[in-house]
């Protein structure tokens, strides 16, 4: 069975940058819609970035212009580059993949990572 593993979280000051990676093992990345979700303390998990099967990207309004999602199918990996980070970006970041279509529902994804913590200090 396939597995997603995130890496790249950490602590940074406001205005800084971090890059997250999500590596697939045991499955082929193509044919899947790929998403990054985040969950801040006391809040619901939200989808922040999507890259579709065809390669189009969409973003939550709160991160538009600051975050960039990308993928490398040859490496079975997708990424989230986060720039101009704000304290409100603090949370656990999760990658997820849905076979065949895109969904904003975390629980509908076929594959879900365990998360990596991002902390942005003022």
């Amino acid at each position: 069975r396939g597995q997603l593993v995130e890496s790249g979280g950490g602590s940074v000051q406001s205005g800084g940058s971090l890059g997250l990676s999500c590596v697939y093992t045991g499955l082929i990345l193509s044919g899947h819609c790929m998403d990054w979700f985040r969950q801040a303390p006391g809040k619901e998990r939200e989808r922040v970035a999507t890259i579709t099967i065809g390669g189009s990207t969409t973003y939550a309004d709160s991160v538009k212009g600051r975050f960039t999602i990308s993928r490398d199918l040859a490496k079975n990996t997708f990424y989230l580059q986060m720039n101009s980070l704000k304290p409100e970006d603090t949370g656990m970041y999760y990658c997820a993949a849905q076979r065949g279509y895109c969904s904003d529902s975390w629980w509908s994804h076929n594959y879900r990572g365990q998360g990596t913590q991002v902390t942005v200090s003022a």
Side-chain angles (χ1 to χ4, degrees):
R1 177 173 171 77
Q3 184 177 7
L4 305 182
V5 179
E6 302 98 337
S7 62
S11 297
V12 66
Q13 289 189 326
S14 182
S17 298
L18 282 173
L20 306 182
S21 300
C22 180
V23 180
Y24 276 38
T25 59
L27 70 153
I28 304 300
L29 191 61
S30 62
H32 290 75
C33 183
M34 291 156 251
D35 299 284
W36 285 97
F37 288 78
R38 73 180 178 191
Q39 187 166 23
K43 295 188 177 181
E44 292 190 358
R45 197 176 337 235
E46 62 171 340
R47 186 171 64 167
V48 296
T50 297
I51 187 163
T52 69
I53 295 169
S56 300
T57 59
T58 58
Y59 301 92
D61 287 343
S62 58
V63 307
K64 202 171 293 183
R66 301 186 297 120
F67 289 14
T68 303
I69 187 172
S70 62
R71 67 186 182 187
D72 186 334
L73 297 179
K75 294 183 178 180
N76 250 20
T77 303
F78 62 106
Y79 307 92
L80 185 68
Q81 179 62 38
M82 305 181 293
N83 299 327
S84 302
L85 283 161
K86 305 175 181 180
E88 52 263 44
D89 294 318
T90 293
M92 190 70 78
Y93 283 70
Y94 303 86
C95 61
Q98 174 66 47
R99 185 172 53 248
Y101 65 95
C102 293
S103 169
D104 61 2
S105 168
W106 167 254
W107 297 109
S108 74
H109 285 65
N110 300 106
Y111 306 99
R112 301 183 294 269
Q114 295 299 306
T116 185
Q117 177 68 35
V118 170
T119 302
V120 184
S121 57

